[in-house]
Amino acid sequence: MEEYGIDPREISLRYGILGAEPWSEALRVQLEERLGIDAVDIYGLSEVIGPGVANECREAKDGLHINEDHFLPEVIDPASGDPLPPGEYGELVFTSLTKEAFPVIRYRTGDIAALYPEPCSCGRTLVRMSRVKGRVDDMLVVRGINVFPSEVEYQLLKFKELAPHYQIVIDRGRALDRMEVWIEPAPATVAAWGRFDPGIAPAAELTNKTGNALAAALGIQVDIRLVEPGSIPRSEGKAVRVVDRRQIGV
Ligand SMILES: [Zn+2]
């Protein structure tokens, strides 16, 4: 819409229920500001029911209310299988209570989240789950440090100069794993620079401050590659955010 000069406030879209892959608070800010809507998160999985296991309320936008009359949630330690106390992040597990023909009992979702039993300011008393922080099997271990792609996204979305597209590339360096993050400048940034060239001073400055922010948040050195606008693959279905070349043996 921005490229075509359409003002989203002139269309009738007011409210977005967005799901199917994890998104961050920073992305909510962008969606709400740039589309002029209320954006809330929905959670579900096809093995349990599909969309509708949990949904944020429009009033508080502070965690997703789980429909507990149909689904019994637990959070467990993914290694030991032991239940974790409220507020602690672990693997989300569901038991269906009303589903017939294909019930699930203590189904392990592979999703990392936490549960909050306190009533919400909207007045609903259904337990809330945090946003999904990542997948048990998506968590990257780079030089012994746990890295969640969602944390990388959270940091990148703080930079208004960047387009909301990125890719994480992990490779074996000479001695240690190397983590590279590919980023794109936003169209307005390139317009302000006059042209796209990673070598010019404002581009180098953007690359540096992005690298510093990621290194501070993740606790590891990150190499930033600023690439041509439009060159990172766009999300069709689930986005490919991580390319791990360590398995290929190159
Ligand atoms: Zn609420």
Side-chain angles (χ1 to χ4, degrees):
M1 280 195 263
E2 281 170 355
E3 275 172 26
Y4 285 95
I6 298 166
D7 181 359
R9 281 157 189 82
E10 286 172 5
I11 65 170
S12 51
L13 189 64
R14 293 289 173 267
Y15 186 30
I17 300 174
L18 307 156
E21 65 178 87
W23 51 290
S24 60
E25 203 52 43
L27 187 57
R28 186 199 321 267
V29 171
Q30 287 217 16
L31 286 164
E32 294 196 331
E33 284 181 2
R34 292 169 67 186
L35 281 170
I37 60 169
D38 276 307
V40 299
D41 199 5
I42 187 170
Y43 175 83
L45 57 168
S46 47
E47 300 91 324
V48 175
I49 195 180
V53 174
N55 206 119
E56 272 183 327
C57 56
R58 191 177 188 172
E59 297 84 357
K61 294 174 188 161
D62 186 19
L64 294 86
H65 290 283
I66 295 173
N67 292 312
E68 282 180 289
D69 37 356
H70 299 287
F71 313 106
L72 175 70
E74 295 172 89
V75 165
I76 63 166
D77 177 326
S80 68
D82 292 337
L84 293 172
E88 273 192 37
Y89 278 89
E91 184 174 357
L92 200 52
V93 172
F94 284 106
T95 297
S96 65
L97 301 175
T98 54
K99 201 177 175 196
E100 294 180 21
F102 189 1
V104 290
I105 299 169
R106 302 199 80 205
Y107 180 77
R108 294 181 66 161
T109 63
D111 289 331
I112 304 282
L115 295 176
Y116 302 101
E118 320 74 63
C120 178
S121 64
C122 74
R124 293 178 182 90
T125 54
L126 296 167
V127 69
R128 284 168 293 154
M129 58 179 268
S130 68
R131 287 173 176 283
V132 171
K133 196 173 181 180
R135 298 273 306 159
V136 170
D137 43 5
D138 269 359
M139 192 180 74
L140 299 164
V141 182
V142 184
R143 287 182 235 163
I145 306 276
N146 296 347
V147 175
F148 285 100
S150 56
E151 179 65 24
V152 173
E153 175 170 313
Y154 177 73
Q155 295 301 328
L156 292 179
L157 288 170
K158 288 180 181 171
F159 293 97
K160 296 261 182 277
E161 304 96 313
L162 297 176
H165 305 283
Y166 65 93
Q167 199 154 47
I168 300 167
V169 180
I170 316 280
D171 217 335
R172 290 231 183 275
R174 282 203 187 85
L176 292 165
D177 293 339
R178 214 163 64 92
M179 179 168 157
E180 207 171 67
V181 176
W182 296 18
I183 55 172
E184 279 180 21
T189 309
V190 179
W193 293 347
R195 68 195 153 99
F196 173 76
D197 178 355
I200 59 175
E205 191 189 314
L206 179 58
T207 303
N208 274 340
K209 67 179 183 182
T210 309
N212 291 341
L214 284 179
L218 304 175
I220 52 163
Q221 162 80 37
V222 176
D223 297 322
I224 303 293
R225 189 189 290 194
L226 190 70
V227 298
E228 191 106 16
S231 61
I232 291 172
R234 281 3 186 194
S235 175
E236 286 174 28
K238 307 262 178 185
V240 180
R241 302 295 201 197
V242 179
V243 179
D244 195 337
R245 295 185 178 146
R246 292 176 297 183
Q247 314 305 325
I248 306 169
V250 285

